[in-house]
């Protein structure tokens, strides 16, 4: 069974631009969560989607948004990019949200904002 | 506030010996704990998990211990192998799917 895939793997943008990252969960998994990893803040939860609905949101500004499609694939968008948005963005999937479900991570998208 | 803490940023161990990684948490609502291994510029790889109703879970060379009263968990890797050199993250979750991560412990296994 294929793992979580994320595209693109690397991205360079300039301040003020916007970016869209894509995540395809493991086949059969319906819950997708997004995380940001930076050297200063570590791994932080962005948001979680299940059945095309956002179920939970972390403490990030409204510039960070996401959505989930009927096939469980998810996208996240960051508008008006800032230098501090440079990070590794990770997507994780699980069969269902909550309970004792393990989340499996994709390889991440490395975003560099210049 | 940091709800999950890994107080040792790094650990060096000889090949074949035991690696012990520690993690402390403050939120008593956490009911599921996971350990992930991560290489630079890659996503975390799931290693092992434990439910709050258990105090030990074992999978091959990996054993996780949970002490609920102390709000402490540990990961034992035995025997340690050079391929185990990576950053290890402890994570916890309460209701929902939000994982709260510790800051990570960098493990170096010396041949």
């Amino acid at each position: 069974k294929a793992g979580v895939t994320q595209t693109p793997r690397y991205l360079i943008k300039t301040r003020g631009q916007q970016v869209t990252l894509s995540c395809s969960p493991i086949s059969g998994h319906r819950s997708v969560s997004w995380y940001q990893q930076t050297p200063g803040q570590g791994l932080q939860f962005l948001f979680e989607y299940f059945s095309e609905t956002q179920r939970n949101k972390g403490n990030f500004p409204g510039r960070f948004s996401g959505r989930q499609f009927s096939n469980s694939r998810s996208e996240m968008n960051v508008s008006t990019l800032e230098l501090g948005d440079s990070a590794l963005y990770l997507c994780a999937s699980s069969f269902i949200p909550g309970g004792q479900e393990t989340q499996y991570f994709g390889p991440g998208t490395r975003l560099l904002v210049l | 506030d940091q709800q999950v803490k890994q107080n040792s940023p790094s650990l060096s161990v000889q090949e074949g010996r035991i690696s012990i990684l520690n993690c402390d948490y403050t939120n008593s609502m956490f009911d599921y704990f996971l350990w992930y291994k991560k290489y630079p510029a890659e996503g975390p790889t799931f290693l092992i998990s434990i439910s709050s109703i258990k105090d030990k879970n074992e999978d091959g060379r990996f054993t996780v211990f949970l002490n609920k009263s102390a709000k402490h968990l540990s990961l034992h890797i035995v025997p340690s192998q050079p391929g185990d050199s990576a950053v290890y993250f402890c994570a916890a979750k309460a209701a929902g799917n939000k994982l709260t991560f510790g800051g990570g412990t960098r493990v170096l296994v010396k041949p």
Side-chain angles (χ1 to χ4, degrees):
Chain A
K1 193 185 269 191
V4 177
T5 58
Q6 292 186 244
T7 56
R9 293 293 311 277
Y10 304 94
L11 207 47
I12 300 175
K13 292 285 188 179
T14 55
R15 277 181 299 174
Q17 287 187 308
Q18 76 165 16
V19 67
T20 299
L21 312 181
S22 181
C23 170
S24 292
I26 292 171
S27 177
H29 283 192
R30 296 166 57 200
S31 174
V32 173
S33 299
W34 289 88
Y35 294 82
Q36 180 198 63
Q37 185 185 25
T38 59
Q41 299 297 320
L43 276 155
Q44 291 189 292
F45 172 79
L46 278 157
F47 28 64
E48 172 204 350
Y49 286 88
F50 177 70
S51 292
E52 302 177 63
T53 303
Q54 187 180 89
R55 286 172 44 92
N56 204 349
K57 191 175 191 306
N59 189 25
F60 280 82
R63 300 185 297 106
F64 291 81
S65 62
R67 59 178 175 167
Q68 186 181 35
F69 302 95
S70 58
N71 61 358
S72 296
R73 191 177 69 85
S74 177
E75 289 180 348
M76 68 163 281
N77 184 79
V78 188
S79 62
T80 319
L81 283 166
E82 299 177 359
L83 295 179
D85 297 334
S86 295
L88 180 67
Y89 290 89
L90 293 158
C91 168
S93 77
S94 65
F95 181 59
I96 55 171
Q100 316 275 279
E101 286 289 324
T102 295
Q103 291 180 52
Y104 296 91
F105 283 83
T109 295
R110 171 73 63 182
L111 172 64
L112 177 62
V113 182
L114 301 175
Chain B
D1 67 331
Q2 238 182 321
Q3 296 188 54
V4 179
K5 281 187 183 178
Q6 294 176 253
N7 289 317
S8 298
S10 64
L11 172 70
S12 182
V13 64
Q14 208 66 36
E15 181 179 3
R17 306 295 291 268
I18 184 171
S19 295
I20 300 177
L21 291 79
N22 294 302
C23 179
D24 296 299
Y25 63 96
T26 57
N27 188 342
S28 58
M29 298 302 291
F30 288 144
D31 62 1
Y32 192 54
F33 303 88
L34 308 92
W35 284 94
Y36 288 88
K37 171 182 176 181
K38 189 179 184 301
Y39 296 113
E42 292 185 13
T45 300
F46 170 71
L47 285 174
I48 192 169
S49 61
I50 188 166
S51 162
S52 60
I53 63 172
K54 295 186 174 181
D55 55 18
K56 177 183 175 181
N57 189 26
E58 200 170 346
D59 185 0
R61 297 186 299 115
F62 303 94
T63 302
V64 56
F65 297 91
L66 175 62
N67 182 333
K68 277 186 66 178
S69 60
K71 293 190 174 68
H72 177 83
L73 64 155
S74 61
L75 174 68
H76 292 206
I77 306 172
V78 55
S80 299
Q81 300 173 353
D84 295 332
S85 296
V87 179
Y88 290 76
F89 288 95
C90 163
K93 60 189 252 182
N97 241 14
K98 174 185 173 182
L99 287 175
T100 301
F101 283 89
T105 296
R106 184 178 301 278
V107 173
L108 175 62
V109 180
K110 299 177 182 176

